[in-house]
Amino acid sequence: MTLESRPLVDSFAREIVGLRLWERSDGRTVDYLRDLWARHPVLVFRRQALSEHELAGFGALFGPLERVVRTDWASPMVPEVGLISNLKDGQARPIGGLGDGEIQWHSDQSYMLNPATGAMLYALELPPEGGTTSWVDLSAAYAGLGDPLKRVVEGRRAVFSYVKRLAGYQGVDRVMSEEAKRKTPPVLHPLIHTHPMTGRKARYLDSTTTIGIDGMDDVSGSALLDEIYAFATQPEFVYRHHWRVGDVVMWDNGFSMHRREPFDPAARRLMKRTTIFLSRERHIVPEGSLATEETVS
Ligand code: SIN
């Protein structure tokens, strides 16, 4: 089988054809995929059939897998695999997280000091409509900014808070363990990063966690964030993925955000996810610092 990649949206999202992800990839293929993912934040593979171990094994080719703070969403079989689903078990308890609602533009682990920025989602069951996921290219969104706004955000850090993320969740997803709370204090991350391989600048954003900008009062910080999000999420920067069963999509949260459309709660949707610590040599990986009381007051 010959390996090919074709663009889905300019340089931003690509589909890889000719790989069976359940088979062990040779060294050249792995190098090719690592290089491709460093440059294109969204890669799509169709018609895959993977066990949880195979999904985790494929993810681990790109870096150590994280066990995310939401241990309540972890698969009972392979704890590095998370279940993203609205399905419930025999006692009506959710089997995973994120239910059926809309999820606004976000970058998965922005609330962590050292976020694991790689993610993979594998589609096993899908609703007949809705549940579509979109990604936005924050490198193109930076390039398109006018110089005055570039100057305003340069050198600035935003405050990212998991408490804000939780408030947007539905039902039991809003509840988390004391340990998870301890691991997720508000953190600061720079708003602009430079990609280590391409030298292109990109913004680092998450509308579900940012609560302000370090050194700016609440009103000016919120106004600036609103302006930044309105610009970054314009349709020209977006790839909208229409899921098919067997799809694997991997994305780099270091220079993209994603959102999910809601779907009928009576329909079934089951996705499996891995989260990966990507290397700073090939990817934008924000290095956070703890926000002080002053920054978050
Ligand atoms: C996520 O935001 O990580 C999940 C996206 C989805 O359910 O499509």
Side-chain angles (χ1 to χ4, degrees), residues 266-285:
R268 295 171 63 91
R269 188 175 190 266
L270 173 61
M271 320 289 275
K272 294 191 176 178
R273 193 172 81 184
T274 56
T275 305
I276 307 154
F277 286 104
L278 297 179
S279 100
R280 290 209 154 83
E281 274 110 65
R282 283 195 303 269
H283 297 266
I284 290 173
V285 180

Side-chain angles (χ1 to χ4, degrees), residues 43-69:
L43 299 183
V44 174
F45 304 81
R46 301 273 192 189
R47 295 186 73 92
Q48 303 295 325
L50 301 175
S51 70
E52 290 185 359
H53 283 291
E54 286 163 344
L55 179 66
F58 181 62
L61 295 175
F62 302 92
L65 300 185
E66 189 184 30
R67 292 190 183 183
V68 297
V69 289

